[in-house]
Amino acid sequence: MKALVAVKRVVDFNVKVRVNADGSGVDIGNVKMSMNPFDEIAVEEAVRLKEAGKINEVVAVSLGEKKCEDTLRTALAMGADRAIHVETDASLEPLAVAKLLKKIVDKEQPSLVLLGKQAIDDDANQTAQMLAALMNAPQGTFASKVALSADEAVVTRDIDGGVETVALKLPAVISADLRLNEPRFVKLPALMQAKKKTIEKQSVEELAVNIEPRLHVKHYAEPKARQAGVKVASVAELVEKLAAAKAI
Ligand code: AMP
């Protein structure tokens, strides 16, 4: 059984991004980039399933600029067996990503496709759902637990106010939520080893997908600075202030 894991290169979650002076975009000139945190969880889950003997191959795939190779190397160092890079400098919307992934799925025929529940740059939370639709496959999004058997994945999903358990016939699409696992720390020797592995290249042209953006972002703006809070001396004063602000 094979698992395909989608890994996106995003601005590191510790970086505070700034909007360009003209509001035309976000300045990511010299900032640290990393694997999307939810994708790290997805890779970890695939590698654990492999270690448990449930699957025998983990293929990582990333779409985007040349530097996505670094993200793929991290996935290889975590334990992925192979990596595929769809190289493009174009900015990709979730639908374009889903269509490109669908082409890779057609070629690789994985039993399981694992993604992050959302990319922390666009916060779209759309790709896994769109891919499942394009594949006409069942989806288990926001997974906090995955149990795999020969033809089924039982996925526990985080939902509002609780959890839901769904059984999916394979092949299926799963998106990883925060509680699914804690990704392993990648050690330097593993990263060095991963440098020796080859990354298979694919182009958007080869995959014959129209990636033309459908959305036009008009303007970016920083959120308004928050006003400093005040310290209150007593609960009574707090209640008084909340009442005055019509908050209670
Ligand atoms: P989104 O729908 O943009 O929030 O992204 C959800 C998930 O789709 C991510 O966590 C990744 O697993 C996958 N994904 C999105 N964009 C890419 C990309 N350019 N390369 C690889 N995987 C991606």
Side-chain angles (χ1 to χ4, degrees):
M1 205 187 277
K2 189 193 282 187
L4 190 77
V5 193
V7 294
K8 185 175 188 185
R9 181 173 186 263
V10 296
V11 172
D12 188 88
F13 72 95
N14 281 311
V15 173
K16 190 175 178 323
V17 288
R18 304 228 63 103
V19 172
N20 291 338
D22 62 1
S24 64
V26 172
D27 185 7
I28 55 166
N30 284 314
V31 302
K32 180 171 186 248
M33 305 290 283
S34 299
M35 186 188 296
N36 184 46
F38 295 107
D39 305 356
E40 260 188 80
I41 296 171
V43 175
E44 176 67 31
E45 195 63 17
V47 172
R48 285 188 193 185
L49 287 168
K50 189 185 164 190
E51 287 167 349
K54 304 273 185 188
I55 53 179
N56 38 36
E57 193 180 28
V58 177
V59 183
V61 52
S62 191
L63 294 69
E65 58 182 346
K66 172 133 181 60
K67 288 253 174 83
C68 290
E69 285 174 5
D70 298 346
T71 314
L72 287 169
R73 299 239 178 256
T74 306
L76 290 166
M78 286 176 77
D81 299 287
R82 289 199 288 125
I84 301 171
H85 181 200
V86 180
E87 192 170 337
T88 173
D89 287 334
S91 95
L92 298 170
E93 288 177 356
L95 182 59
V97 174
K99 285 181 175 174
L100 290 165
L101 288 175
K102 166 70 167 58
K103 293 284 175 127
I104 307 276
V105 166
D106 289 346
K107 197 163 153 263
E108 294 285 335
Q109 297 289 315
S111 301
L112 208 59
V113 186
L114 285 152
L115 302 93
K117 75 162 179 182
Q118 77 193 60
I120 61 164
D121 50 3
D122 62 15
D123 268 344
N125 175 16
Q126 294 173 1
T127 310
Q129 296 88 331
M130 287 174 168
L131 176 63
L134 292 170
M135 287 169 60
N136 199 17
Q139 57 180 288
T141 49
F142 313 118
S144 58
K145 192 169 167 212
V146 175
L148 198 62
S149 62
D151 60 354
E152 199 179 68
V154 176
V155 177
T156 304
R157 312 179 54 230
D158 279 2
I159 56 169
D160 276 353
V163 292
E164 177 186 56
T165 304
V166 290
L168 316 173
K169 279 259 165 293
L170 301 180
V173 177
I174 295 176
S175 78
D177 210 331
L178 208 58
R179 268 191 287 267
L180 184 57
N181 61 49
E182 207 169 296
R184 68 198 61 196
F185 179 73
V186 178
K187 299 202 180 97
L188 194 59
L191 260 180
M192 299 308 281
Q193 281 287 325
K195 283 214 162 95
K196 290 189 202 137
K197 297 194 185 172
T198 47
I199 294 175
E200 188 190 325
K201 295 277 179 175
Q202 293 269 316
S203 70
V204 173
E205 292 71 32
E206 276 166 345
L207 297 173
V209 170
N210 179 359
I211 58 163
E212 192 103 353
R214 292 169 178 233
L215 295 175
H216 171 67
V217 180
K218 290 191 155 171
H219 187 69
Y220 289 86
E222 301 264 352
K224 280 209 178 76
R226 288 176 64 181
Q227 283 181 348
V230 285
K231 268 193 180 168
V232 289
S234 64
V235 173
E237 192 189 341
L238 172 67
V239 172
E240 197 180 298
K241 281 197 186 299
L242 289 173
K246 297 201 167 41
I248 52 171

